[in-house]
Amino acid sequence: MFATHWRRYAAALCGLTLAILGGLHATSATQAQADPLPTWNDGPNKKAILDFVAAVTAKGGADFVPVADRIATFDNDGTLWCEKPLIQGAFMLERFKLLLPKNPAWKLEEPFKAILAKDREYLANAGEEELVKFYLATQANLSKDDFQANAAKFFATAKHPKFNVVYKELTYPPMVELIHFLQANGFQTFICSGGDVDFMRVVSREIYNIPVENVIGSSLVYDVRDQDGKLTLFRSAKLHFFNDKIDKPKGIWLHIGKRPIFAAGNVRSGGDIAMLRFTQSGKGRSLQLMVNHDDDVREFAYAEKDRASLNASETHGFHVVSMKNDWKKIFAFEK
Amino acid sequence: MFATHWRRYAAALCGLTLAILGGLHATSATQAQADPLPTWNDGPNKKAILDFVAAVTAKGGADFVPVADRIATFDNDGTLWCEKPLIQGAFMLERFKLLLPKNPAWKLEEPFKAILAKDREYLANAGEEELVKFYLATQANLSKDDFQANAAKFFATAKHPKFNVVYKELTYPPMVELIHFLQANGFQTFICSGGDVDFMRVVSREIYNIPVENVIGSSLVYDVRDQDGKLTLFRSAKLHFFNDKIDKPKGIWLHIGKRPIFAAGNVRSGGDIAMLRFTQSGKGRSLQLMVNHDDDVREFAYAEKDRASLNASETHGFHVVSMKNDWKKIFAFEK
């Protein structure tokens, strides 16, 4: 009884202290108004993000969303980090060169022949089939542990041909900031990318603060092997799931089982239109960002031939983010 | 400056209050020693669970595991709730009867013919192929939303033939208690079951406090459909993944990307041996439970013909949980 009484008293005292603290904090916040997105320029896109987060987190508001349903999905290549070249593509190429001496037949076979010849025309017109063939040839037939050890080595050493930094430094600070801002507001943030799930998981926590269990990606069929009394996973040369375009909503549903209320993708291949539309097909308020690569000074400027992603943005009201105009920085290493 | 000074003072005051509170709490805990697993009888299995959790959460201890790596996976049927009959099997049968008038050919085709004739011998020898055929016939060709609405109705109304309660009441309180105990100790808890992922997600939060994003199960190939300007998911009659036996480690890795340090399964089909062995194949301390159905008074007593799960438990040191001896209650409705 005595202990209970004192515990109640202490709890009340602490409650009071927290109230004082809270009050001071509010005063301080009013004074300072810390910007949660400091590398975003003021404008309609930054305002749309801030308004959306304020609306879905306002208790009692018309657009309030409980924490459990605050789900955000981000494409990776071209949305969270640079995709010229595709970072996993550079990793695949490194492994391709390593494996070539043992696979001389590749010299006569597409798409390997075109890759060796740097046949830009062939590669520009290559589709999913060629990409998957290259993926299976270079990312399979080894254990999951060895694959991830190779990837970790690649991330520690390989450098981007233009920017001359390791690839981990090619993340976009405005997007990383946005992930952290959403997390601070109770969102669960997921990557939903065409990249290989084991590849992205090597760095997702470090560079985005996204835990490996929140990474949705393409995958190979695993073989389970019994070695020295231990069960290990082996990456077989069979595709399990290619997480792109119309398949992204499938990957999201299988993994999360909830419809996201926020998604971000980018202009290049139309790969994110379905994810953004899926996010928008629920009942409540949602927000979609379509990142546009329009800065050939700080990064690259490129467009889709068929303008599919920009057309879809107009039709469906996605917010087109101009890297040139909306972002104060594209890379952290900028001066 | 003034605000900062006061905030520091308030923080110090609150820290002091929390310290008092913490001290009282410790005293109180010593006095009461609340049992985190009250429906488990004292014995080697309860002790193994308590020792394991104490060891992996003890900061600075040899077996300490950071929160991010405290992953626990649970089989569902026969491990967390009753599997006589398989609860999804009862749901499948309900739908089978509903669809039969429109599918008269089923009367001449196995396994449907045997199901209609209640041919126990045929069904006892039926394998994965027959089960998948029944699964596709009864759980596909409708939207994900309709499927989940049907499942919710089933859970609200259908009753167990022997116990005469809705199926949600057939969970095992000792296992639910264990899930909550692990969660309270920083574990992420996942279901990893052969059951359909959309089916289990209808009740996982309510009955286990496991969020839908932590449910790993079997799945069909989704079709993404564009209806009235919205993207929706349709459950096609093609199997995407059957999450059982040797495939459970694959399902776990795809979904979580970490090796669990705890897993629980049950004796019936050998379906959980690979999951438990996978959990055990990491570097640090781990714990495996194999639930044995040996109580024909309060539930059912049944065994595997080949004794595979019990043999594996002996070989690999899994803890065999006796429902009869280890559990004070099997169902919450017991008197």
Side-chain angles (χ1 to χ4, degrees), chain B residues 20 24 162 176 189 192 206 243 249 261 296:
Chain B
I20 296 167
L24 288 173
K162 177 178 170 183
V176 176
T189 53
C192 179
E206 178 188 346
N243 189 55
I261 60 168
D296 60 357

Side-chain angles (χ1 to χ4, degrees), chain B residues 165-178:
Chain B
V165 296
V166 294
Y167 287 99
K168 285 188 289 192
E169 294 188 33
L170 294 168
T171 57
Y172 305 135
M175 293 304 283
V176 176
E177 213 169 77
L178 174 55

